[in-house]
Amino acid sequence: MRSLKKIFSIVIISASLVNVPLVSASPSQQVNQTPLQEIVNSLELTEDQQNEISSFIDKYQDSRPVIDVEKVIELKKEQLRLIAQPKLDESKLGSIIDMIQVKQKQLLIDEMQLKNNIYNVLTEDQKTKFKSSLKSLILETN
C-alpha cells in the first residue's frame, strides 16, 4: 500500500513540475510557477532560447495525458477491497501496480525528454546552473 501511495505521489509530483505554460507575467499578475519554470526563469535566457523552450513546453503539455481522477479513485477503492479480503489476491494487486507503473514510466520519460530539450539549448554556464537547480529540487522532494 505504501508503495502504491508513493507511486501515485511521484506521478502527481511529476505532472505538477511542468503543468503551467511558460509565460512572462506582468507584475500585477500573480502566476504560480512550477519548480521547473522557476529554474528556467532564473537562467537569464535570450529571446531565442525563451521561444525554443516555450515551444518544448507547449509540445510537452499538448502530448501529456490527462490524469483520470475517477480511475485513480477506483484503483484506490480496489486496493481497499483487496486489503479487506481474507486472502490477498496478489495477482490482482500485481495488475494494479503494473498499470500504475506503466503510466508513471511514460510520465517520467516525457518529463526527462523535456528537461533534456531545455538543457540542450542552454549555454555552458546556464547548463551548470540548470543541473545544480535540478539537483537541489530532487533532493528537496525526497
Side-chain angles (χ1 to χ4, degrees), residues 125-140:
D125 287 342
Q126 290 169 329
K127 286 178 179 179
T128 300
K129 188 173 180 180
F130 186 73
K131 287 190 297 188
S132 175
S133 296
L134 284 178
K135 182 178 178 181
S136 296
L137 179 63
I138 290 168
L139 295 174
E140 286 175 13

Side-chain angles (χ1 to χ4, degrees), residues 61-91:
Q61 290 180 329
D62 290 343
S63 67
R64 198 178 64 196
V66 175
I67 296 175
D68 185 352
V69 177
E70 303 264 332
K71 182 71 172 173
V72 171
I73 291 169
E74 187 55 41
L75 288 173
K76 288 289 188 182
K77 287 179 181 177
E78 185 61 28
Q79 290 173 36
L80 291 173
R81 283 192 285 273
L82 289 171
I83 291 169
Q85 299 300 313
K87 184 171 184 333
L88 181 65
D89 184 344
E90 290 184 28
S91 173

Side-chain angles (χ1 to χ4, degrees), residues 58-122:
D58 290 343
K59 182 180 175 187
Y60 169 83
Q61 290 180 329
D62 290 343
S63 67
R64 198 178 64 196
V66 175
I67 296 175
D68 185 352
V69 177
E70 303 264 332
K71 182 71 172 173
V72 171
I73 291 169
E74 187 55 41
L75 288 173
K76 288 289 188 182
K77 287 179 181 177
E78 185 61 28
Q79 290 173 36
L80 291 173
R81 283 192 285 273
L82 289 171
I83 291 169
Q85 299 300 313
K87 184 171 184 333
L88 181 65
D89 184 344
E90 290 184 28
S91 173
K92 197 167 210 170
L93 181 59
S95 175
I96 291 171
I97 291 170
D98 289 344
M99 280 191 322
I100 293 168
Q101 288 179 332
V102 166
K103 291 179 187 290
Q104 177 191 23
K105 180 180 178 181
Q106 190 57 53
L107 284 171
L108 290 174
I109 288 171
D110 292 346
E111 178 188 335
M112 293 303 112
Q113 182 64 55
L114 172 63
K115 289 176 181 176
N116 177 259
N117 289 341
I118 292 170
Y119 180 82
N120 286 312
V121 301
L122 301 176

Side-chain angles (χ1 to χ4, degrees), residues 2-48:
R2 177 178 276 175
S3 175
L4 289 175
K5 186 175 181 180
K6 183 176 181 180
I7 290 170
F8 276 119
S9 297
I10 290 170
V11 169
I12 300 302
I13 288 170
S14 296
S16 70
L17 285 176
V18 288
N19 67 351
V20 180
L22 184 64
V23 295
S24 298
S26 70
S28 62
Q29 293 175 312
Q30 293 296 322
V31 176
N32 291 333
Q33 292 188 332
T34 65
L36 181 59
Q37 286 175 308
E38 290 176 6
I39 292 169
V40 169
N41 288 341
S42 73
L43 297 175
E44 300 175 17
L45 302 171
T46 66
E47 189 173 328
D48 288 340

